Amino acid sequence: MADPMVLRAQQFINSTYGDVSGITKVEETGVVDWPTLFALTRALQYELGITALSDAFGPTTLSTLTAKWPSIDASSATSSTPVPANVIRIVQSALYCKGYDGGDIDGTYNARVAAAVRKLKADTGLDVPYPGDAVVPKLFKALVNMDGYVLRDGGDQAVRAAQRWLNSRYPDRANFFVIACDGVYSADVHRALLFAVQYEVGLSDDIANGVFGPATRAGVREHPVSVGSTGPWVQLFSAAMACNRRRGITFTDTFDEGLAVRVAAFQEFVRLPVNGEGDFPTWASLLASSGDTTRAGTAADCASEVTAARAQTLAAAGYRFVGRYLSNVPNTTLDKMIKPGELRTMAANGLRCFPIYQTYGGAASYFNATQGASDAKDALYWARYHGFLPGTRIYFSVDYDAVDAEVTANVLPHFGAIKDVFDADHGGYRIGIYGARAVCARVGAAGLSSASFLADMSTAYAGNVASPLPEDWAFDQVATITVGTGDGAIEIDNDIASGRDLGQISYAPPAAGTDLDVTLDPSCRAAALADVRLYLQSQGVPEQGGGDPANPTAGSGASTAEAFDAVVTYDGVITDLARALRMRKALIAAGVLWAVRTGTTAADGATGLVPMTPSAAVAARNYCVQQRVLRGPRLDVTDTDDLTAMRQKLRGDDKFSINTAAYALVKSAHDLGLPRPGLADTTHSTRLVLGDFAEASGAAAGTNGAAGTVQLGLYQVLEKYYAPQRAGS
């Protein structure tokens, strides 16, 4: 609602400073906003003679004001260093912006202004260190921001009492500034509380930094509080309890039995040893999202396979729950997916698993309803593939410091779509969220998740600062450590478990048609090469020379052995691609082997281990980016620079060339009007896709017009060796 006196303040700014370089005219709306407060700050700087005007009331402004006008009141106009009337008008304008009576904005520090300043000091707690009605520099700084100094809706009286006490006790410390007194725990209040702890520890102004670092932790460890304790440390402790939204807390300087009961409840909530005392682990949990980073956890999450030796290490170290990733991410080298047999190895050692789904999730741009629906379907597929039973909760990752506006615009629609897919699936799977505290709390409050896995190691995340532990927390990630030695060594994130999610320890067999390929057993290499060579010779393709049976000496493709060696050399790359894309490894391997064997010079302008024209490669990758199969920019198939860059990448990076071949196979299926290649394709669709890929890559020589028929046979030879291995995995 517009305020006529705020309007007058805005008119004063424009009429007095509108032509001053560095001060932009403000909108005359009568509504307090940041541009108005910034303009008042710049006006003060101008009156102080500062030439580099800034929105920030920083050290230069504060020190200059302190040196020139350390106290502004009714006598200032006639002092030895008179305060100009316009500076008084700035004070009056700022008072109105704060909701106090600033008089007539006439440059007169009259009784109304003096009364308003006394009221402001009382509201902020500055009436104790700075009695009277004078505006001191740090109070002036507090006037030109958006902080409130009266209890706001939703604010807590105990928090407000703590805020006023902090302002009253530490205003003379160099880096402590007046904080809001509205009863709301904020990042500024959190930092002020940490400064206060550091001051009480004895850190000097040049060391205290408002961060819960080693020196602060050591100091807090020396100041436990318990029943009978009194003084500033109890005040700090009760303030921290109030800021963490513990019910029934009052701001106090005496640790009594009532406070002990509430401390015990907090310790139970965060899964600390319950003793009702303000010991170091309790202090740490109140002051930093990670809490005591040395505390023992019973849960862990990791990107590495939990082998039998590692499972024994984890169990011996007291771990009972392990978070593992449902899938890998296409076009990345990180192999974090649950391995065949791993869950049963874990179960045999008493380890329960809670599954995590994450492809990227590292920026706001990733999150939207379309991506959420895609992630949900993918996660459900992989959950069933690994044998997770109905009732399993899958944790979807928000792996960055999402601000509130991004949660509203991006994250909530993303999780809304996940919920829609899960509801429609009727499979009994549940939704969890991994992320900062504030993000998890909002998604949970919206009814879009049922438990939170907290990224509390990231103590600097805005979403973790001044955000209490959500009530629905299941796992709390506090430190990265390595446990075990030798074959049993494994790096994990040490997690605290609340007991809300017990994970899973029983698993169904993989659903039909979901068996993924594994790497080739080296002992099969010689037999597989012999069969490939024999098959190609039966189709008129000799060991060396052109691949066209009608003209065996034409072309200069690799030999059969060389082409097969390329497939075996990059067997891991092809296997990971097949698993990530959920398609048959033999499809990629057959396409690659045939292209390497026959296509080195078959396609005009083709290049790379798997010969493809740059334009075909760009088209394939663009299609997969569009379909969210691949992450990356879309290139311009008509742009010379893009085509040149693609040619160089294909020529210089064999793994990139093989990846691109797999994406080209996906596009071939689309171009033919077929479903995306999967794990149970028909012989007919496999032949068509291989044939289209061969023609698109220029490697259709040797088919005598029957593109795909020869390649299908090659696919079947490779499947002879691949299928038994995946079945036995």
Side-chain angles (χ1 to χ4, degrees):
M1 181 180 296
D3 183 325
M5 296 311 295
V6 172
L7 174 61
R8 283 184 58 182
Q10 293 166 333
Q11 291 169 338
F12 155 68
I13 293 169
N14 290 338
S15 63
T16 307
Y17 302 103
D19 295 329
V20 174
S21 177
I23 301 180
T24 303
K25 287 188 175 183
V26 299
E27 291 188 53
E28 298 178 2
T29 62
V31 177
V32 181
D33 56 15
W34 275 113
T36 299
L37 296 173
F38 289 153
L40 289 172
T41 301
R42 287 172 177 261
L44 172 63
Q45 292 166 347
Y46 175 76
E47 296 293 344
L48 288 169
I50 298 172
T51 55
L53 306 185
S54 167
D55 291 341
F57 196 118
T60 298
T61 306
L62 187 64
S63 62
T64 306
L65 178 61
T66 302
K68 197 165 187 176
W69 303 310
S71 179
I72 300 173
D73 57 17
S75 65
S76 298
T78 58
S79 66
S80 57
T81 308
V83 177
N86 278 343
V87 172
I88 305 300
R89 291 187 178 95
I90 293 170
V91 171
Q92 293 174 303
S93 298
L95 283 168
Y96 278 117
C97 287
K98 285 292 186 189
Y100 296 88
D101 180 4
D104 293 326
I105 312 184
D106 56 2
T108 302
Y109 204 107
N110 57 28
R112 289 167 60 189
V113 175
V117 171
R118 283 194 297 270
K119 179 66 167 63
L120 174 63
K121 283 185 175 180
D123 288 342
T124 60
L126 290 183
D127 55 336
V128 175
Y130 303 121
D133 57 20
V135 175
V136 295
K138 285 193 176 179
L139 183 63
F140 209 139
K141 179 180 172 73
L143 271 172
V144 288
N145 63 37
M146 295 287 275
D147 286 348
Y149 300 115
V150 296
L151 190 69
R152 60 179 279 188
D153 290 343
D156 182 88
Q157 286 284 10
V159 173
R160 183 169 187 270
Q163 291 169 324
R164 293 184 67 252
W165 176 77
L166 290 167
N167 284 339
S168 71
R169 186 172 177 84
Y170 306 106
D172 290 332
R173 298 302 295 254
N175 296 312
F176 187 94
F177 301 107
V178 180
I179 58 174
C181 295
D182 55 3
V184 175
Y185 189 33
S186 67
D188 285 344
V189 175
H190 175 78
R191 190 164 184 263
L193 184 60
L194 284 173
F195 266 120
V197 169
Q198 292 174 330
Y199 298 148
E200 296 299 335
V201 165
L203 300 186
S204 61
D205 284 342
D206 60 338
I207 295 177
N209 58 6
V211 176
F212 195 55
T216 310
R217 289 174 180 265
V220 168
R221 195 180 293 276
E222 297 175 0
H223 291 87
V225 289
S226 57
V227 173
S229 298
T230 59
W233 281 101
V234 176
Q235 288 169 298
L236 289 171
F237 186 83
S238 64
M241 286 283 288
C243 288
N244 276 268
R245 298 178 191 165
R246 305 316 301 165
R247 296 183 182 89
I249 291 294
T250 57
F251 177 67
T252 180
D253 64 354
T254 301
F255 200 119
D256 60 14
E257 292 290 350
L259 180 55
V261 169
R262 289 167 176 79
V263 172
F266 173 73
Q267 291 168 332
E268 173 64 26
F269 174 61
V270 299
R271 296 299 184 265
L272 289 173
V274 177
N275 57 21
E277 299 177 359
D279 53 15
F280 173 73
T282 306
W283 270 111
S285 287
L286 290 169
L287 295 176
S289 62
S290 60
D292 178 4
T293 56
T294 66
R295 58 183 161 160
T298 57
D301 63 280
C302 56
S304 301
E305 178 183 1
V306 180
T307 61
R310 290 169 173 171
Q312 292 165 13
T313 291
L314 291 169
Y319 290 95
R320 297 294 177 264
F321 314 97
V322 180
R324 290 287 285 122
Y325 292 90
L326 288 174
S327 65
N328 284 326
V329 185
N331 209 35
T332 64
T333 58
L334 178 61
D335 185 11
K336 63 181 183 178
M337 184 170 74
I338 298 166
K339 299 297 181 292
E342 181 179 353
L343 293 176
R344 286 158 182 81
T345 296
M346 289 167 56
N349 287 274
L351 299 176
R352 309 175 74 93
C353 184
F354 58 97
I356 306 164
Y357 180 86
Q358 180 181 12
T359 54
Y360 176 55
S365 58
Y366 177 83
F367 295 94
N368 54 71
T370 300
Q371 186 66 52
S374 175
D375 285 359
K377 294 172 184 175
D378 206 38
L380 288 170
Y381 170 87
W382 286 111
R384 290 188 170 102
Y385 164 73
H386 292 297
F388 284 102
L389 298 169
T392 299
R393 182 181 286 108
I394 301 170
Y395 292 88
F396 292 84
S397 177
V398 182
D399 201 11
Y400 83 108
D401 192 12
V403 300
D404 203 51
E406 292 169 345
V407 175
T408 299
N410 301 83
V411 177
L412 289 179
H414 185 95
F415 276 83
I418 291 174
K419 186 175 187 300
D420 288 344
V421 170
F422 272 51
D423 288 348
D425 179 72
H426 300 295
Y429 294 92
R430 295 186 287 177
I431 302 168
I433 178 174
Y434 168 87
R437 293 181 173 195
V439 180
C440 291
R442 284 206 59 194
V443 171
L448 304 179
S449 64
S450 58
S452 299
F453 175 17
L454 301 167
D456 269 343
M457 288 193 302
S458 301
T459 55
Y461 272 12
N464 282 335
V465 175
S467 292
L469 200 64
E471 293 292 330
D472 72 348
W473 78 278
F475 301 105
D476 187 7
Q477 192 181 68
V478 298
T480 298
I481 62 174
T482 297
V483 294
T485 59
D487 291 343
I490 182 170
E491 183 180 82
I492 61 169
D493 291 330
N494 181 40
D495 305 331
I496 309 303
S498 73
R500 181 165 284 103
D501 188 342
L502 298 180
Q504 301 297 315
I505 201 166
S506 298
Y507 307 95
T514 61
D515 51 325
L516 297 186
D517 285 286
V518 297
T519 53
L520 180 68
D521 183 345
S523 66
C524 297
R525 178 171 181 159
L529 171 58
D531 277 358
V532 166
R533 181 181 285 130
L534 183 64
Y535 168 73
L536 290 180
Q537 288 172 347
S538 74
Q539 300 300 306
V541 181
E543 172 64 25
Q544 182 72 52
D548 186 351
N551 187 7
T553 61
S556 57
S559 69
T560 298
E562 290 168 341
F564 181 82
D565 283 346
V567 169
V568 173
T569 298
Y570 292 106
D571 181 65
V573 174
I574 294 171
T575 303
D576 287 345
L577 266 171
R579 292 174 70 89
L581 296 173
R582 297 206 301 272
M583 58 196 290
R584 279 290 162 240
K585 173 182 174 181
L587 186 72
I588 303 172
V592 168
L593 196 156
W594 184 258
V596 174
R597 172 67 186 85
T598 65
T600 306
T601 60
D604 182 26
T607 185
L609 175 69
V610 185
M612 293 184 67
T613 62
S615 58
V618 167
R621 295 182 76 90
N622 279 352
Y623 172 73
C624 288
V625 168
Q626 177 186 351
Q627 296 299 308
R628 298 182 182 272
V629 174
L630 170 66
R631 183 178 302 109
R634 296 187 66 181
L635 304 179
D636 186 348
V637 75
T638 66
D639 186 281
T640 301
D641 290 341
D642 281 355
L643 293 175
T644 298
M646 180 60 68
R647 180 179 291 106
Q648 292 172 344
K649 189 71 173 172
L650 289 168
R651 181 181 295 143
D653 188 337
D654 288 349
K655 291 182 181 179
F656 181 86
S657 181
I658 292 171
N659 275 270
T660 303
Y663 302 136
L665 286 162
V666 173
K667 184 174 184 296
S668 287
H670 167 74
D671 292 344
L672 293 166
L674 297 171
R676 179 174 152 185
L679 301 175
D681 293 342
T682 65
T683 300
H684 176 69
S685 65
T686 299
R687 178 180 63 78
L688 292 177
V689 168
L690 284 169
D692 187 80
F693 169 72
E695 291 180 344
S697 65
T703 62
N704 267 347
T709 301
V710 176
Q711 293 94 321
L712 175 62
L714 185 56
Y715 170 97
Q716 292 168 333
V717 171
L718 293 169
E719 266 289 88
K720 172 183 174 181
Y721 294 91
Y722 294 161
Q725 291 178 30
R726 66 174 178 261
S729 65

